[in-house]
Amino acid sequence: MDYTTLGRTGLKVSVAGLGCGGFSQLGLGTGKSEEDAIGIIRAALDLGVNLFDTAAAYGTEPVLAKALRGVPRDRVVICTKAPFGVSHPNSTPESAVASLDRSLKELGTDYIDVYQLHGVAPRAYDHALTVLAPALLREKEKGKSRHLGISETAPGDPIHEMAQRACRDGVWDVLMCAFHMMHQNAREAVFPLTRQHRVGTLMMFAVRNIFSRPERLAATMRELAADGEVPQALAESPDPLGFLVHAGGATSVIDAAYRFVRHEPGADVVLFGTGDPAHLRSNIASILKPPLPDADRARLAVLFGHLVGVGLDAPHLSHTTGRVTRG
Ligand SMILES: NC(=O)c1ccc[n+]([C@@H]2O[C@H](COP(=O)([O-])OP(=O)(O)OC[C@H]3O[C@@H](n4cnc5c(N)ncnc54)[C@H](OP(=O)(O)O)[C@@H]3O)[C@@H](O)[C@H]2O)c1
């Protein structure tokens, strides 16, 4: 494993971070058992992963707690998030503190390394900064968290409006930001700010559905070509990103996707989500490989550098509970 420093937190973190949400939720979202999910976390630890990202909304805090039982607390960096409701403009600081306390209990720990507000929309940001953050900073002073962080709502904020403000405000030591081969605008919109202010970055959406489901990629290419956003040849190709896979290049589109994010200047940790042990191993191997060849990176910039908001799946609302179950 390679390790890096997570911005001004000073935390030494693995460059590959296990995401406990997304569509897999460690496999719990795709019908696997709690034992399987524990196996995924344990395998990640064995391969040197020390950063784990979960959230109240994912329902994976308890399984993370079980998997980490017996692991010295200072060997892992636990990141979790307040529920989406707390990040709403009408939420109260009391609800934020209550969520933090619940997460501490669910995670079976005395402190959270990075406590984040989850999916903060631009319209909710003032409230997050002026109402919620002061309350959470008081709890931090009591030792309940080490750092505050914030995650953007990628589908609702594809131009990173919230992130740009958050980087400048000095409160959020860590930013979770969307960046991938066909949504590259954080390069100009966000990374200069995170680097200037030494905000640590957790990268989300490296693969998501667009690169893990070929039919999704094909449909996206057809839509983009119809809008004149990408060459028609990409819509007609059975393997539109096949040019990335060659001797000396990537071994698969997913390999390319993780390597693309990993080697972007400004990207500290690449989050990856999986419930499949083989995917876990190959994803970590990809994240540890060298950058894609210059020619392939250049081609990705030319073909897709102008796209905004492609391949960012919206979270799904559970209509029975009103709770966002994925993110
Ligand atoms: N706003 C927010 O705060 C927010 C939003 C989104 C994500 N996140 C965080 O970012 C993390 C990562 O996002 P993500 O879960 O979407 O991760 P991702 O790594 O971008 O995509 C994971 C998806 O790709 C599949 N996959 C992964 N490796 C694969 C492989 N080698 N071959 C084929 N398919 C593969 C997974 O299914 P399998 O289970 O089959 O591997 C899963 O469906 C989340 O877990 C969460 O912690 C936060």
Side-chain angles (χ1 to χ4, degrees), residues 41-57:
I41 297 164
R42 285 274 175 186
L45 277 168
D46 288 346
L47 291 168
V49 170
N50 77 345
L51 184 139
F52 297 86
D53 177 65
T54 182

Side-chain angles (χ1 to χ4, degrees), residues 91-122:
S91 65
T92 62
E94 291 75 21
S95 69
V97 174
S99 300
L100 169 60
D101 288 339
R102 257 196 318 274
S103 286
L104 285 167
K105 207 164 155 206
E106 298 274 34
L107 286 161
T109 182
D110 294 337
Y111 67 91
I112 285 155
D113 294 279
V114 184
Y115 192 64
Q116 305 160 100
L117 291 183
H118 199 163
V120 177

Side-chain angles (χ1 to χ4, degrees), residues 160 179 183-192 260 264-265 297 301 305:
H160 310 285
F179 181 76
H183 178 63
Q184 306 179 20
N185 60 350
R187 181 177 299 129
E188 266 119 43
V190 179
F191 299 143
F260 176 81
E264 178 67 25
R297 288 154 63 92

Side-chain angles (χ1 to χ4, degrees), residues 194-265:
T194 51
R195 295 170 89 185
Q196 181 187 347
H197 298 280
R198 298 177 50 242
V199 173
T201 55
L202 304 179
M203 309 314 303
M204 60 180 170
F205 286 85
V207 164
R208 207 66 169 180
N209 284 337
I210 186 163
F211 303 123
S212 61
R213 299 190 186 176
E215 73 282 2
R216 246 343 226 283
L217 180 62
T220 304
M221 289 297 185
R222 283 195 296 275
E223 281 167 30
L224 291 170
D227 291 344
E229 296 271 19
V230 300
Q232 182 60 26
L234 291 184
E236 288 164 7
S237 167
D239 187 12
L241 297 182
F243 66 87
L244 295 167
V245 181
H246 58 88
T251 53
S252 68
V253 170
I254 289 179
D255 179 57
Y258 284 121
R259 288 166 69 180
F260 176 81
V261 177
R262 159 72 182 103
H263 293 287
E264 178 67 25

